[in-house]
């Protein structure tokens, strides 16, 4: 069976009837908007850090499985006021999964925590501390 793919197909839908999905040729809802998003640019510097909606978030990996929230809080609160601390637990074992997210109000405090705590030990485990979010196109990808 030979099929001519260049042949035009007639639209048999009733006039004024909408198609489900993304729309037809006349649909210009997305025209010219590809790749345009709001940005939360704050400071242009070498850190490559991007601000989250509420603050500056750092990720800490290498966290000891028996670490408590208080251990992390005490170690990182000396660099500034911690707005939020999230420590994921393994549901099966009840132990820490090995990472934590720490949110600071301002960038200077978060940057000081990244620079000071990266490579330090906590409960005999070496920590890796970096930015949780990186600016698009940043070469640093969250690392300082």
């Amino acid at each position: 069976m030979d099929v001519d793919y260049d042949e035009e197909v007639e639209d048999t839908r009733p006039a004024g009837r909408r198609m489900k999905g993304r729309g037809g040729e006349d649909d210009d809802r997305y025209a010219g908007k590809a790749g345009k998003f709001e940005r939360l640019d704050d400071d242009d510097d070498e850190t490559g850090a991007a601000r989250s909606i509420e603050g500056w978030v750092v990720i800490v990996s290498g966290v000891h499985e028996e670490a408590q929230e208080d251990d992390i809080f005490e170690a990182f609160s000396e660099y500034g006021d911690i707005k939020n601390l999230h420590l994921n637990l393994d549901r099966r074992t009840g132990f820490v999964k090995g990472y934590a997210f720490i949110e600071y109000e301002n960038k200077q405090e978060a940057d000081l925590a990244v620079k000071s705590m990266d490579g330090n030990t906590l409960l005999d485990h070496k920590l890796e501390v970096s930015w949780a979010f990186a600016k698009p196109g940043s070469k640093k990808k969250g690392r300082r």
Side-chain angles (χ1 to χ4, degrees):
M1 174 181 208
D2 290 333
V3 178
D4 185 10
Y5 291 104
D6 295 330
E7 177 182 325
E8 288 201 27
V9 178
E10 184 180 331
D11 187 2
T12 58
R13 290 177 292 138
R17 182 117 189 243
R18 292 184 56 121
M19 274 185 358
K20 289 184 179 180
R22 295 190 176 193
E25 292 177 20
D26 298 332
D27 188 2
D28 65 347
R29 288 180 289 175
Y30 305 110
K33 296 180 183 173
K36 294 182 181 176
F37 302 99
E38 290 182 27
R39 296 186 111 166
L40 295 172
D41 290 338
D42 218 41
D43 298 321
D44 288 331
D45 60 11
E46 310 86 42
T47 64
R51 189 179 200 285
S52 73
I53 300 299
E54 297 179 9
W56 296 90
V57 181
V58 297
I59 184 168
V60 181
S61 57
V63 177
H64 192 279
E65 65 181 10
E66 293 182 6
Q68 300 288 317
E69 219 173 83
D70 291 344
D71 300 326
I72 307 291
F73 190 88
E74 286 177 25
F76 283 85
S77 64
E78 65 183 78
Y79 303 105
D81 291 331
I82 294 177
K83 237 178 123 171
N84 193 7
L85 188 143
H86 189 74
L87 195 60
N88 275 348
L89 300 178
D90 187 326
R91 289 183 190 178
R92 188 172 45 86
T93 64
F95 290 118
V96 173
K97 284 189 173 183
Y99 64 91
F101 291 102
I102 302 170
E103 183 176 358
Y104 288 94
E105 181 78 39
N106 67 50
K107 186 174 183 180
Q108 292 77 22
E109 294 172 348
D111 191 40
L112 185 59
V114 169
K115 289 177 180 175
S116 301
M117 290 299 291
D118 189 31
N120 281 1
T121 58
L122 180 67
L123 300 176
D124 297 327
H125 276 230
K126 184 177 178 182
L127 301 178
E128 290 183 28
V129 184
S130 62
W131 295 104
F133 303 108
K135 289 182 183 177
S138 172
K139 295 177 185 171
K140 304 288 184 192
K141 294 291 180 199
R143 299 295 300 170
R144 56 175 184 87

